[in-house]
Amino acid sequence: MAKHLDGRLLATRYEASLRASIAQHLATAGYPPGLAVVRIGEDPASGVYVRKKAQACGRVGIRSRITHHPATASQQEVLESIRQLNADPSCDGILVQLPIPAHLDARQLLLAVDPAKDVDGLHPLNLGRLMRGEPGLRSCTPAGIMALLAQGCIALEGIRALVIGRSILVGQPMGIMLQQANATVTMAHSRTRDLAHQCRQAELLVVAAGKPGLVRADWVRPGVVVVDVGIHRVPPRQQGERATLCGDVYFAAVEPLASHITPVPGGVGPMTVAMLLWNTVQAWQQRCGGVVRTVLVPLLPH
Ligand code: NAP
């Protein structure tokens, strides 16, 4: 039976540490950290994520606000609200909630965010800093995964890691972070030949393909560490039942073989939110000129 890498528990610890740090430094800073979420359209999953992020902000003492544009908003309108947030001194972090409607250019919107407020770590400057191993705001999901692996005492040096998925949001920064921790990383994607064979070689699997149940029991080697990034709604099978969530890994079959595994829900998801809070507090500290930069989460991997 695999040990569960418990994202809920670790996120709770991060929140406690951030809450204490904010309370301690509030008077010196003169204002609380502020996070602005730019939401465009009515994607229901995005609505749930935005709400959860706002609730998490409230728990630690970050002031959050949501700028909600209709699905018909123009590129110029969204760009203008990002510019206003860039200029707003009470706003330390800006997050453009993805996905956005197809008529909008996500690259241009992400580029418009002030890199110092880019708490999703998706601005090219922050991605470049990550690639060079320089300090900067890190992509939340892979940073949260690194924290989970550290908390689970997974030794990454020399480990054979396979990352399935090469998105800018998850797979690419994940691969870089694992390499920087001295893992030997293979990247897989939709054109990878014989993915099952690649999986069987891996001692660490990070699965971010967005395909429910993609990784099955006969794809993994015993003792593998499995990080499941995928998140999918499973509709109720009959009336009266509630919808559930599943990941990209066939959990029931893989869990008995793995040494460690992240559950879905309760694994990567809560840590993604925790790292968003962490990035917002980090941005707040930077903008306060380092006055309050003394204490922060000792659990972080970087
Ligand atoms: P994405 O942008 O759609 O990227 C998916 C990646 O997986 C692509 O690189 C794609 O390859 C690859 N892929 C797709 N099908 C594959 C297959 N059959 N075999 C191998 N590779 C395959 O998705 P994303 O934004 O990275 O997110 C991935 C999943 O993680 C989604 O389920 C998303 O909801 C979830 N997610 C969860 C969290 C969290 O906090 N838990 C955060 C972010 C994302 P190509 O490049 O060749 O197309």
Side-chain angles (χ1 to χ4, degrees):
M1 193 69 97
K3 207 170 166 190
H4 287 198
L5 296 170
D6 188 338
R8 271 196 199 119
L9 183 65
L10 186 55
T12 306
R13 295 178 59 190
Y14 267 69
E15 285 188 9
S17 180
L18 288 167
R19 191 165 45 243
S21 187
I22 292 169
Q24 186 181 353
H25 298 295
L26 196 53
T28 322
Y31 74 102
L35 172 69
V37 178
V38 178
R39 182 180 172 207
I40 310 140
E42 302 302 330
D43 176 56
S46 290
V48 174
Y49 294 142
V50 168
R51 211 165 38 249
K52 283 192 170 173
K53 287 167 186 171
Q55 286 166 351
C57 282
R59 288 196 295 271
V60 301
I62 293 174
R63 197 162 48 195
S64 71
R65 73 182 103 157
I66 300 163
T67 306
H68 193 172
H69 294 274
T72 52
S74 71
Q75 184 83 6
Q76 282 314 315
E77 284 167 335
V78 183
L79 276 174
E80 183 47 37
S81 75
I82 292 173
R83 284 190 195 113
Q84 282 174 14
L85 293 167
N86 282 343
D88 184 340
S90 70
C91 168
D92 301 287
I94 302 169
L95 164 82
V96 179
Q97 182 67 41
L98 302 173
I100 58 174
H103 70 279
L104 297 173
D105 179 352
R107 276 174 194 247
Q108 195 191 29
L109 296 181
L110 296 174
L111 195 60
V113 174
D114 177 348
K117 297 188 177 188
D118 169 40
V119 285
D120 234 357
L122 295 178
H123 190 283
L125 187 68
N126 285 319
L127 288 169
R129 285 173 174 153
L130 165 65
M131 184 156 258
R132 291 167 63 103
E134 294 170 2
L137 294 165
R138 297 290 195 251
S139 317
C140 299
T141 301
I145 292 170
M146 293 302 285
L148 268 174
L149 293 172
Q151 195 64 20
C153 299
I154 310 296
L156 294 176
E157 176 133 345
I159 202 172
R160 281 196 301 277
L162 177 70
V163 178
I164 308 182
R166 55 178 167 181
S167 71
I168 290 295
L169 188 66
V170 186
Q172 299 277 8
M174 185 79 256
I176 295 168
M177 287 182 199
L178 288 171
Q179 281 182 65
Q180 288 173 350
N182 294 323
T184 302
V185 181
T186 303
M187 302 294 298
H189 43 77
S190 65
R191 314 290 174 88
T192 297
R193 278 200 302 270
D194 200 354
L195 184 59
H197 171 75
Q198 295 291 343
C199 280
R200 277 183 220 112
Q201 309 305 309
E203 298 163 295
L204 166 64
L205 264 177
V206 179
V207 192
K211 300 284 177 237
L214 175 71
V215 173
R216 313 180 64 86
D218 59 339
W219 284 26
V220 301
R221 61 161 56 208
V224 66
V225 176
V226 180
V227 175
D228 191 351
V229 185
I231 185 148
H232 311 277
R233 185 179 177 276
V234 183
R237 267 178 272 170
Q238 52 192 356
Q239 250 190 347
E241 277 185 4
R242 297 182 68 174
T244 53
L245 295 174
C246 77
D248 285 357
V249 174
Y250 186 21
F251 187 88
V254 170
E255 198 235 6
L257 296 168
S259 64
H260 298 76
I261 193 164
T262 57
V264 179
V268 174
M271 283 310 295
T272 298
V273 178
M275 298 319 291
L276 174 69
L277 305 180
W278 154 259
N279 277 348
T280 304
V281 174
Q282 197 190 28
W284 177 63
Q285 290 187 326
Q286 296 282 353
R287 292 187 63 248
C288 295
V291 188
V292 293
R293 206 189 291 184
T294 45
V295 185
L296 249 190
V297 191
L299 307 163
L300 274 180
H302 61 257

